[in-house]
Amino acid sequence: MRQRFRLLKSALATALCVTVLAAGFIFPVHVQAANAIRPSNVTEPGEGCKLYNYQGTFDTATKDEILTEINKIRKDACDRGVHITATGRTLKPSDYVPIKWSSALENMALLRSAETFGSYGTFRPNGDSDNSGASYGVPSDAEIMDTKTIMKSVSDWYDTQQRNWLINKNNEAINEYVSLIDPNNTYCGLASFNSVSGDHCIAEFSQTTKALDTTKLDVSGFIGQTVEVNTSTVTGFELYSYSEMIVGRTYPHASLMLVNEVDAKPYGSRYNHPVIENTNCWSSSDTSALPIDYLGNMTPKKAGTYTITYNGELGHYSK
């Protein structure tokens, strides 16, 4: 039996011991190979801030998959004659306009999907009150979010609207669905960031009439996203891993978690983000018996009890 647990950082150090059991049933675990950290939209942190690399990977859904689904929803709304209260507009079939992809909005969504991971708020971790500072040259006119992959999020936004139709018996557009179907939204960019506790999807929309770059960015090789964080909200780090492991099985992954105490309105809470550095900071007390790679993935080779250590720019966590 295995269990997840954490140890709080002390004033000087934190340590983690694991017990490796003799091999029984071995369940292979796929560990994604990746080697790049995606840069933030700033190269130097602002006053009172620091750049941290949030560990995780990005959803690789294709542009065609995403746009096909969204445009199907947009056409359905026009054919159905959905009413958008915010604009006072009742859609008709001739209002259907396929939405286009924007690489600038995708850039923004990639950053925001990591920034808002776990916090599910509209504030930014650097202290900005909104997402305007995350713009890549094309300001977002609407931002919506969900805790799923891209395709599941799009489906979820539509399903929420369908439930509204069934319950309220009207053709009113609500919540995130409005951004999907509004003909004024001409471009979109979506991203979903996956970390140890799940997925977080962000969709950005623009009403610009300018011609934008529609290239889909390649995010398949990234292992993290650099995020600008206000250091006043960082209260320390916690080390997460497995207390027991079985010989021959791969365990992804040990994590150094940044503890973020957020007091910004309308959300105020405590969030943990796995962080990673550009160099290999992980080791074990017996690397031949318990090898561990730079992502914290472990494949125990021999039964015994070992100490896992993290040693890098963020601190030395060992005993």
Side-chain angles (χ1 to χ4, degrees), residues 112-153:
R112 293 286 293 148
S113 66
E115 282 190 343
T116 59
F117 189 87
S119 62
Y120 209 73
T122 56
F123 60 87
R124 300 186 64 207
N126 62 4
D128 287 355
S129 60
D130 57 40
N131 64 16
S132 59
S135 173
Y136 284 79
V138 181
S140 174
D141 293 304
E143 177 183 87
I144 58 178
M145 56 187 72
D146 198 12
T147 53
K148 295 181 178 67
T149 61
I150 293 175
M151 299 305 293
K152 287 183 178 179
S153 293

Side-chain angles (χ1 to χ4, degrees), residues 19 24 37 49 52 76 89 92 111 117 121-122 137 144 147 172-173 196 215 219 224 232-233 239 276 288:
T19 298
I37 297 172
C49 294
Y52 291 100
D76 172 76
R89 184 176 184 176
K92 53 186 181 296
L111 175 60
F117 189 87
T122 56
I144 58 178
T147 53
E172 204 78 23
V196 293
T215 305
V219 296
S232 67
T233 67
L239 198 62
I276 190 171
S288 63

Side-chain angles (χ1 to χ4, degrees), residues 260-271:
N260 196 207
E261 300 276 0
V262 178
D263 192 30
K265 295 179 180 179
Y267 301 91
S269 192
R270 178 182 191 272
Y271 308 111

Side-chain angles (χ1 to χ4, degrees), residues 1-2 19-24 243-248 251 300 302-304:
M1 179 180 179
R2 72 179 191 188
T19 298
V20 176
L21 309 178
S243 58
E244 291 185 352
M245 295 185 287
I246 298 174
V247 169
Y251 291 80
K302 181 181 178 182

Side-chain angles (χ1 to χ4, degrees), residues 18 35 63-64 69 75 83 89 92 103 112 131 140 146 152 158-159 172 205 225 232 237 253 286 298 303 307 313:
V18 297
N35 55 11
K63 179 175 74 173
D64 287 343
E69 189 63 25
K75 187 175 188 307
H83 181 72
R89 184 176 184 176
K92 53 186 181 296
S103 56
R112 293 286 293 148
N131 64 16
S140 174
D146 198 12
K152 287 183 178 179
Y158 182 60
D159 289 345
E172 204 78 23
F205 298 88
Q225 167 70 57
S232 67
F237 296 89
H253 38 66
D286 187 338
M298 298 166 285
T307 299
E313 291 183 6

